[in-house]
Amino acid sequence: MNVSSRFDVAGFGVIVTGGASGLGLAYGEVLAAHGARVTLIDVDADALAEHTARLQSEGLDVRGTVADVSDHAALDRAIDEAADLYGRLDVAFANAGIDSGSGFVGGWAGGDRPRIEDGALERYTDERWNRVIEVNLTGIFVTARAAVRHMRPRGFGRIVVTTSLAASKVEPAIGSAYMTAKAGARHLMHTLALELAAYGITANAIAPGFFVTNIGGGHAHDPDLQAAVAREIPMHRVGRPDDIKALALFLASPASEYITGQEIVIDGGWGLGIAD
C-alpha cells in the first residue's frame, strides 16, 4: 500500500506564529514546499519581509503578517485575514515564543555550572515572569482559539504546538518561567485534543531539545556551546531546523489523522541521559 498521498497538503491554508525565524520558519518552509498556502506571523517585520520575499522568489505561496501574539486583537485579525484569503484554515502552528533570560546556573553542559545570582528565584521579577507566560503560554491559547473558529465549522483542522524538552526536564540554565509555560502548553494541548477530537480537529505538540535558532539572542549559534552540548546528547550533535521539517509535515497532514493529544520529543536522545 502506497501511503505517500496521505502526506499531501497541497492547497491547505496554514498559519505559523513566530514564523520569521528558527523552527517556525522551518514549519512554513516545509508546508509551502509541499503546496500549502502559508501565512507567517511574527513581530519582526524585517525578517518577515526578507523570508517571504525569498520564498516567493522560489515560487512558493507565502505571505507575512506582522503581529504580536500578546496583542490578542491583532492576532485574531491576522488569523482571520489568512482564513478569509485562503477560504479555509487547515493548520495552525502555535509556535511563537521568547527566551526567559538566565536561569539559576550558568552554562548548558558540563560539570562546572556556577550559580547565577540574576537568575535566582528571589530576583525573578513579575515583569519577567508575566511576559514569558503571556507569549509562551497565553499566546498558544489565543492562537488555537482563533484558529478553531475557522476549523470547527469545516470539521477538519490541525493544531501543532511547539513545546520543549523543558516541558518535562528542568533545565537550570533557563529561567523558570520558560519551563512553566512549556509544561502548561503541553497540558493545554491535551485539553484541546480532548475537546476537539469529535470535530475532526487534532492537537499535538512538537517538543524540541537543543536546536540552533535565534532565541535567547542566538546563543545556540556558538560553535563552542554546540560542541559542549553535543557531548551530552546521545547522537552527539545538536538539532537544526531542517531536522524538524518532516515531523511538522506529518502532524499537519492527513497522515496523522488518528493521532491527537501527543507530544513528540525531538532531541537526539538528550532527555534520556548521557550514554558516552
Side-chain angles (χ1 to χ4, degrees), residues 14 51 91 94-95 110 181 193 260:
V14 178
H51 290 297
V91 185
N95 167 76
T260 197

Side-chain angles (χ1 to χ4, degrees), residues 38-111:
V38 178
T39 294
L40 304 176
I41 301 171
D42 205 288
V43 295
D44 190 335
D46 291 339
L48 270 179
E50 174 189 350
H51 290 297
T52 54
R54 172 179 61 84
L55 294 169
Q56 288 169 1
S57 73
E58 297 171 8
L60 303 180
D61 192 340
V62 177
R63 58 191 289 271
T65 298
V66 178
D68 187 327
V69 297
S70 65
D71 183 339
H72 300 176
L75 182 59
D76 281 351
R77 285 194 299 272
I79 293 173
D80 289 348
E81 287 170 3
D84 291 344
L85 176 65
Y86 302 144
R88 57 194 289 178
L89 183 61
D90 301 277
V91 185
F93 285 96
N95 167 76
I98 59 173
D99 180 65
S100 59
S102 62
F104 66 85
V105 303
W108 280 81

Side-chain angles (χ1 to χ4, degrees), residues 20-40:
S21 66
L23 303 184
L25 180 59
Y27 299 155
E29 287 174 338
V30 69
L31 269 290
H34 285 78
R37 307 177 70 189
V38 178
T39 294
L40 304 176

